[in-house]
Amino acid sequence: MRRKLPSTAALAAFEAAARHQSFTKAAAELALTQSAVCRQIAGLESFLGLKLFRRTRRGVTLTQAGQTYGESVARRLDEVERDTLDLMARRGEGGVLELASVPTFATRWLLPRLADFERQAPNIVLNITPQSRPFLFEGTPFDAAIYAGDGPWPGTEAVFLMPEKLVPVCSPRLLGVRKRIMPGQFSAYRLLQQSTRPYAWRQWFAAQNVSHPHDLGGPRYELFSMLVEAAVHGQGIALVPRLIVEQELESGRLIVACERESVRDKNYYLVLPEWKADHEPLHLFAQWLAGQAAQYRAQHGLEGETSLPPKRFTR
C-alpha cells in the first residue's frame, strides 16, 4: 500500500511558517516567495483535509490542529536533519549510537573516558541523553542505556559494569574539628535525600544496626550531582556513590563522614534491546565500556562479573 505522506517541501514550509507564525518570514528563511509558501501550505491543508492556519487581518495564527501537528512535524524534521548531517559527516562509514544514561554517572565517570573510545572507533558518533528513571526502549531513539538497578529486564540484554557502593560525604566544615563521626551521631546533622531513592538512608542505617529518628527527612534532590553540590556547600550529609565524588574527596572539598562499610545498593549495567544485539557499532561500544569497567573494578578492589566476551553480550 502506498504511504500517505505529504511532500517534504510542504512540511518544511509549514514548519517554518508555524515557527515564525508568518508566511513572509518563512519565505525569507527558505529563500522562496511568499506565494510559493502559501501554495505549499494550501496544498498540505488540502492533503490533510483540514485547516492548519487561521487567516486574520494581522496575519496568520495556528489552529489547534496546526499547533499539534506543527510540534510533531518539527521533531521529525529535526531528526531527519540530524541523521542527514551525521551521514554526511561520516560519509557512510561507522555509525551513530544514541545512549541514555544516569546523568551523574555519564558526567563523572563516562565522559572523562570517552576520548579513548573515540580513538579506537573514530567513525562512531556517540550521543548521550540524561535519563534518571526507568523507561522502555520501544518508541524511543535509544540504542542502549546505562542504568543503575537490578534486572532482569524483559526483552533486553545487560552487560554488568560495576557495583554501586554508597558512602556518606560532607564538607569538612560541617564536622568542624571532628574528622569522622559514628552512625549514632548522624542525628545531629541534616541528611540530604535523593528523591528517586527515598529509602537509601534508612537502608544505610539498618546496615549499621542504628536507628535514626529522621532518616526520611531533609531536602530532596533528583540528581546525585545536586546532592554533591549541596554537600560541598555544607548543607548536610549526602549518601552518594563513591565513584562520582572521587575528585571532591581527592581535593578535600568533601570528606567521608563515616568509614563504616558502605551499602552496595545497586549495580550499573549497559542495557540494550535484544533486537540491537547484533548492531556492530553498539557491539564495539559495549566491548569497550565493559573493558573500562573491568579496569575500574580492578583498580578499586570491587568484586564483580568478568567483562564482555568478545562475540556475545551477556547478562
Side-chain angles (χ1 to χ4, degrees):
M1 181 181 295
R2 183 178 178 180
R3 290 180 181 271
K4 193 171 183 61
L5 297 173
S7 74
T8 55
L11 291 176
F14 166 63
E15 187 277 333
R19 180 161 32 86
H20 292 295
Q21 295 281 292
S22 167
F23 288 2
T24 302
K25 292 180 180 179
E29 177 181 308
L30 299 173
L32 298 172
T33 64
Q34 182 179 356
S35 61
V37 170
C38 290
R39 286 195 299 272
Q40 291 287 359
I41 293 175
L44 180 60
E45 290 178 326
S46 176
F47 178 86
L48 297 172
L50 52 83
K51 292 294 184 182
L52 300 172
F53 290 94
R54 287 190 296 270
R55 278 70 173 175
T56 68
R57 292 180 180 179
R58 296 182 179 181
V60 294
T61 59
L62 287 166
T63 63
Q64 183 59 54
Q67 181 70 39
T68 303
Y69 192 52
E71 293 171 358
S72 177
V73 168
R75 287 196 301 271
R76 301 302 192 276
L77 290 180
D78 285 344
E79 291 172 0
V80 171
E81 182 181 35
R82 183 195 62 203
D83 293 343
T84 301
L85 292 174
D86 287 339
L87 184 63
M88 292 170 64
R90 294 183 286 104
R91 297 186 179 275
E93 298 178 354
V96 177
L97 290 179
E98 297 292 340
L99 178 70
S101 178
V102 180
T104 309
F105 182 91
T107 303
R108 297 298 187 96
W109 192 91
L110 179 59
L111 287 177
R113 293 168 169 80
L114 274 185
D116 180 71
F117 176 68
E118 292 172 355
R119 285 191 294 269
Q120 295 187 34
N123 292 324
I124 296 177
V125 176
L126 181 66
N127 298 325
I128 303 175
T129 300
Q131 187 82 30
S132 58
R133 297 181 184 273
F135 67 97
L136 299 175
F137 283 104
E138 188 173 354
T140 76
F142 301 129
D143 298 300
I146 294 176
Y147 184 67
D150 287 299
W153 297 280
T156 68
E157 297 194 21
V159 180
F160 172 78
L161 299 177
M162 64 192 68
E164 178 188 77
K165 302 193 78 174
L166 301 180
V167 58
V169 297
C170 66
S171 166
R173 300 190 307 275
L174 190 69
L175 299 187
V177 296
R178 293 178 173 179
K179 300 297 183 182
R180 298 284 187 275
I181 57 176
M182 299 299 290
Q185 297 172 302
F186 273 64
S187 58
Y189 300 90
R190 185 164 67 167
L191 304 181
L192 304 177
Q193 307 283 349
Q194 218 248 358
S195 58
T196 60
R197 305 188 189 188
Y199 299 105
W201 272 115
R202 175 165 293 182
Q203 293 165 356
W204 189 86
F205 285 116
Q208 318 310 322
N209 295 315
V210 169
S211 176
H212 190 294
H214 305 293
D215 55 9
L216 299 180
R220 297 188 177 277
Y221 305 92
E222 174 148 358
L223 303 179
F224 277 129
S225 58
M226 296 176 179
L227 283 170
V228 172
E229 284 302 308
V232 165
H233 288 89
Q235 296 178 22
I237 304 177
L239 189 63
V240 299
R242 183 184 287 268
L243 65 89
I244 71 170
V245 290
E246 290 172 346
Q247 294 179 1
E248 286 78 7
L249 293 175
E250 185 176 347
S251 68
R253 298 175 70 203
L254 289 176
I255 59 174
V256 176
C258 180
E259 285 287 4
R260 290 288 185 91
E261 180 68 20
S262 57
V263 174
R264 178 181 293 190
D265 186 18
K266 299 182 180 181
N267 293 316
Y268 286 99
Y269 293 91
L270 175 68
V271 185
L272 56 146
E274 289 176 338
W275 65 86
K276 297 252 185 179
D278 294 327
H279 184 38
E280 185 61 20
L282 180 55
H283 184 70
L284 292 173
F285 174 71
Q287 285 187 306
W288 171 83
L289 184 62
Q292 291 288 316
Q295 184 179 1
Y296 180 86
R297 294 196 306 268
Q299 290 173 346
H300 293 81
L302 298 173
E303 298 294 332
E305 292 102 313
T306 59
S307 61
L308 182 68
K311 294 295 182 182
R312 185 64 186 168
F313 295 106
T314 59
R315 257 180 227 291

